[in-house]
Amino acid sequence: MDGAADITGRCVAISRAAFGRGDLDAAVEDLHRLPADLPVRGVLAADLLDALVRSDRTVEPRRLRQLDVLLEIADAQPPDTPEWPQVRAAARTLALLRAGAEGEVSDPRAALAELESFLAVVPGGGDDKVAPLRDAMRAMLDALRAIDDGDEATLERLPRDAQRLRETLADDPTGGPLADAFASLADLMAANHRGDDPRPALDVLREAVRRLPPGSPIRESVTDLDALLAPLATMRSGGPDGPVTPATAEQLAAMTALVRRPDLSPGDRAMYHSAIGGALLSLGEEGDLARVEEALEHLRTSAAVAPHDDPRLPSHLVGLALGLVHRGELTGSVADAVEADEVLERAKRLAGGPGHTLWSVINEMLGQVRRRHAGTNDPHTVALEGLREHAWRVLLQTDLRAANTAARRAAQEAVDVARQCLVFHDPASAIRALDSGRGLALYAATENRQIPGRLDAAGRPELASRWRTATAAGAAAEVPIDLRREVLTVLTEHSNAGALLDAPTLGEIRAALHTLDADALVYLVPAAGAVPGYAVMAPAQGPPAYMALPNLHLLDDVDVERYLKALGRRDTLIADPHRDLTALDDPADFAGSLDTVCDWAWRAAIGPLVQRYLSGLPRPDSRRLPRMVLVPMGELARIPWQAARRPDGTYAVQLAAISQAASARMLCHSAALPAVPPTPVGLVVGDPDPGGEAPNLAAARLEAYAIHRSFYPGGRYVGRRVDGSPSRSGPGSVEQVRAWLTDAGPGAGTVLHLACHGVINTDPTVATSYLLLAGGGRLSVEELVELTARCPERTVGLIVLAACRTGLAINGYDEAYSLGTAFLAGGVRSVLSTQWAIPDRATSALMYMFHHHLIAEGLPAWEALRRAQNWMLDPRRSVPDGMPAPLRRHLAHDELSHVTAWAGFVHWGQ
């Protein structure tokens, strides 16, 4: 044992080194030799921490590792000095950075909160020499947190933020290579999240790491990451449908060397075992039973050594369950399925609920496992529960693009689960499943307005107040992600707050159908390979039902393929601002393909529905034709179902009334709103000058002017008059339409008719849709949602979008987010939108007749549209006395009965 003189000498040496007059490394060694109960030991540790933080060599791995031990000593006997809190915060920041760089952070949300709390104490955010490392670490922790949360907006920003950091530090000899490595790692994370081939990004990361100095704190950890990712990258190189390439012996040896390192924490050791097991399984394609057994040994070890509170444990358990399922498939063992069931139940308990990123995966696997053994009679209901994760993910997002990204895989999973439900003859559950993957971004837009009331009902007024404060400007995008998560957690756990994540019940759908005077809600599900298509029906009265539709194939029917290709070419032409409108009416292309697809639509779906189902449903008024509301899944949304044609030439619109809905959720949303009857007051927009961005619409001017004069004389007409001169009431600008949409006064009216250009861009990076108004002004789908949120007291009964492709979804057919449905989400009661670029002159006649039936005859919007479409088909059509002469002249020049002339319009809502 050291004597008093030795202890004093070491204390002096430590103190001298702390103030720049000695060797810091030797001083740290001397500190460890001091008695643990020496009162001055904590003060000396604090002095050394201050010296290390200020040292030019702070970022060296060896120095960073010294911080943890010194902090433990200083925290046990903290000095009572004003500088200590700042010194401690700076040292803890660096220690956390070291842990993150070496892959020791298992809870990124907690680590990020800790980092921000430390930086708040350190003046100026800390020493400039570690600023690049600090900024990179903050961004990476935020990205890891975003992956856990499913925060798509943050993940989308990550590569751009990393690139900005790279550009900022381009000339910094120390920070530049570090920023390159970080940006390359960000690109790899983004590629992996998108499901892209990760190999190109991994190659770039390897090159960036080679440029780092040998002492870099992240070089070793990225090298380890490479060893873990390389086999997975090789396996996935063929894409999701390509062949799987097993991990090589060299790759497995490198992974095994990692797991044998003695310095690994239990959590990291579990992660490495799980990675080796996954590589041996070859994504569930491995056929060698011995290799599968080896994989299971690693996967069992992973689940056994992981700490019980490790957030990665559910993932390890899912891997173990996958291995058991795969072995059971190879051997025919039911025992493996039973054990996999137990393992997945444990993973489900640990996941806790739909806020976990593996919730749908766990429940889907449980459903598959339970179909393999006789442990339950309803295995499909477990998979149905997993679909709740999709609603959670979408509601969590802070903007529309992120919500669409979060909803991207929802529809396919919903269809897969619905087919499982139908195998068990359970159409009620199939309806819930299908609606769980439909219109989720639209649902989020409507639900954001309801959240304060739900929180009040849940007994959380303080949380409701925080939400209202965050959305005071009217934009739900202003709500921080942490507040969103807290709100969703409260609402999903509170039974009186409503089934936030669940699709409407059958009873709720029936009530909505009764309110809307409709007989049935019908989902159309396309066939897939040998699996037939289906119609799944929720009637206003009677039990739910379904019927197989073996002809409902999109990809194996020549008529449908020809139509979709022609429609695609037409959409491309419309996107050209200098297009030749005469090319839109090529009878050999679009019109011809549309004609033949009408016959297919009858054979594939509408014929069986009308003849075998609708005819047998009870109706409140037997004099009314049957009425159904369709929810077509996937590309079936592009088919004009109202124009399905019976072999004798009769169209569906002559036999039944057909509307569409984005989802049962949106149907119930519309039905719950009080009706707003149309009045002869409103706003009519007629061909506003687009400022050279698109051609003139002469017939649209005639249409709009005639509709204004005949049916809405008490309203306003903006845009251009019939002779092309601007209206005295205004040019039809964005500001005028915006002002009308937010005018809650009684003089504004309840009807908006827009005869203008509609533009859509479906590129995922810039997806949007907008109305093109005077001077090239744009009223986008995103702004429409925000406008209606700012003025919830505004009541609009009807909006007619007599513009091109206003019903086309901007980001996936099943998301159904279009200009038309955006208005519905904002509370508009009824909307007419278009499926394609509508012909100018024929549309003017159709629209005049629609408003004639709506205003002069007092019919509801859905019936007014059906009557107008039937009028177009009637060769003995009678012309109302009030139709202006110029519009009458169009009747002699156009083939009004052709499908292109009338079938492009679809009714939504009330």
Side-chain angles (χ1 to χ4, degrees), residues 713-728:
R716 293 178 65 200
Y717 178 87
V718 297
R720 288 185 283 185
R721 292 180 289 190
V722 176
D723 61 3
S725 63
S727 168
R728 287 192 294 268

Side-chain angles (χ1 to χ4, degrees), residues 133 139 143 149 246 293 296 306 352 455 531 539 570 647 777 885 901 905:
L133 184 61
D149 286 344
E293 295 285 4
L296 277 171
L455 290 170
V531 180
R570 186 179 176 89
F905 279 87

Side-chain angles (χ1 to χ4, degrees), residues 741-777:
L741 287 170
T742 55
D743 186 351
T750 63
V751 176
L752 171 62
H753 182 98
L754 290 150
C756 59
H757 286 285
V759 180
I760 183 169
N761 188 337
T762 56
D763 181 342
T765 60
V766 292
T768 189
S769 185
Y770 57 88
L771 297 168
L772 188 59
L773 298 170

Side-chain angles (χ1 to χ4, degrees), residues 231 235 246-247 252 255-256 273-288 290-298 326:
M235 280 187 270
L252 290 171
M255 298 175 79
T256 303
H273 275 294
S274 182
I276 296 171
L280 286 164
L281 281 179
S282 300
L283 302 180
E285 296 293 328
E286 181 55 55
D288 184 345
R291 194 168 163 119
V292 173
E293 295 285 4
E294 185 181 355
L296 277 171
E297 288 183 21
H298 283 283
H326 188 53

Side-chain angles (χ1 to χ4, degrees), residues 6 31 124 278 346 469 534 560 617 828 855-856:
D6 290 332
L31 183 71
R346 182 185 173 198
T469 300
Y534 289 100
V560 180
L617 288 180
V828 174
I855 299 298

Side-chain angles (χ1 to χ4, degrees), residues 745-836:
T750 63
V751 176
L752 171 62
H753 182 98
L754 290 150
C756 59
H757 286 285
V759 180
I760 183 169
N761 188 337
T762 56
D763 181 342
T765 60
V766 292
T768 189
S769 185
Y770 57 88
L771 297 168
L772 188 59
L773 298 170
R778 301 178 179 187
L779 188 59
S780 70
V781 64
E782 296 88 352
E783 183 180 356
L784 289 174
V785 173
E786 186 177 335
L787 277 176
T788 52
R790 284 207 304 261
C791 194
E793 67 277 10
R794 176 67 162 113
T795 55
V796 178
L798 170 69
I799 291 182
V800 179
L801 295 166
C804 296
R805 306 186 302 164
T806 51
L808 186 60
I810 64 174
N811 202 327
Y813 301 109
D814 288 299
E815 196 41 51
Y817 207 120
S818 65
L819 281 166
T821 57
F823 278 118
L824 286 175
V828 174
R829 279 31 172 195
S830 297
V831 173
L832 299 193
S833 64
T834 56
Q835 290 184 290
W836 54 68

Side-chain angles (χ1 to χ4, degrees), residues 150-442:
D151 178 1
E152 298 291 345
T154 297
L155 292 172
E156 184 180 343
R157 289 195 309 268
L158 176 62
R160 296 196 301 270
D161 291 346
Q163 181 60 31
R164 280 195 293 270
L165 183 64
R166 170 189 272 164
E167 293 167 357
T168 301
L169 299 174
D171 298 327
D172 186 324
T174 302
L178 179 64
D180 284 343
F182 170 64
S184 302
L185 184 58
D187 289 340
L188 177 62
M189 292 177 67
N192 184 64
H193 184 67
R194 292 191 303 265
D196 296 343
D197 183 353
R199 290 178 303 167
L202 190 57
D203 289 340
V204 173
L205 177 60
R206 288 176 182 136
E207 180 59 33
V209 169
R210 276 194 287 269
R211 294 194 294 269
L212 290 173
S216 168
I218 67 170
R219 183 167 187 162
E220 182 179 334
S221 60
V222 173
T223 302
D224 293 348
L225 179 68
D226 189 2
L228 292 176
L229 289 180
L232 179 61
T234 302
M235 280 187 270
R236 287 179 47 190
S237 60
D241 300 319
V244 174
T245 304
T248 65
E250 292 78 10
Q251 289 171 332
L252 290 171
M255 298 175 79
T256 303
L258 288 177
V259 83
R260 290 174 178 164
R261 279 174 34 188
D263 60 332
L264 287 181
S265 66
D268 286 345
R269 195 174 304 281
M271 180 181 69
Y272 290 169
H273 275 294
S274 182
I276 296 171
L280 286 164
L281 281 179
S282 300
L283 302 180
E285 296 293 328
E286 181 55 55
D288 184 345
L289 185 58
R291 194 168 163 119
V292 173
E293 295 285 4
E294 185 181 355
L296 277 171
E297 288 183 21
H298 283 283
L299 294 167
R300 289 189 192 280
T301 302
S302 173
V305 304
H308 72 279
D309 58 349
D310 188 338
R312 295 169 291 189
L313 181 53
S315 175
H316 303 333
L317 292 169
V318 167
L320 174 57
L322 177 63
L324 289 166
V325 168
H326 188 53
R327 186 175 69 177
E329 291 173 343
L330 292 176
T331 63
S333 168
V334 175
D336 280 334
V338 173
E339 184 182 357
D341 191 316
E342 296 170 353
V343 170
L344 288 167
E345 277 292 349
R346 182 185 173 198
K348 185 174 178 178
R349 288 193 299 272
L350 289 171
H356 197 280
T357 52
L358 290 176
W359 185 253
S360 65
V361 172
I362 292 169
N363 284 277
E364 181 184 0
M365 286 186 66
L366 264 174
Q368 294 173 358
V369 165
R370 289 177 180 176
R371 287 198 298 275
R372 288 184 167 87
H373 70 89
T376 179
N377 295 323
D378 53 353
H380 60 289
T381 58
V382 182
L384 185 64
E385 184 181 353
L387 294 177
R388 301 174 82 229
E389 180 194 329
H390 296 300
W392 173 289
R393 292 278 166 246
V394 174
L395 288 167
L396 186 73
Q397 306 308 316
T398 57
D399 60 50
L400 174 58
R401 186 176 300 168
N404 280 320
T405 300
R408 192 166 294 157
R409 65 187 177 97
Q412 186 54 56
E413 286 193 22
V415 169
D416 291 343
V417 173
R419 290 188 177 120
Q420 295 174 31
C421 296
L422 295 179
V423 168
F424 288 88
H425 308 292
D426 186 355
S429 292
I431 290 167
R432 279 189 59 200
L434 291 169
D435 216 65
S436 296
R438 285 286 302 187
L440 293 177
L442 275 173

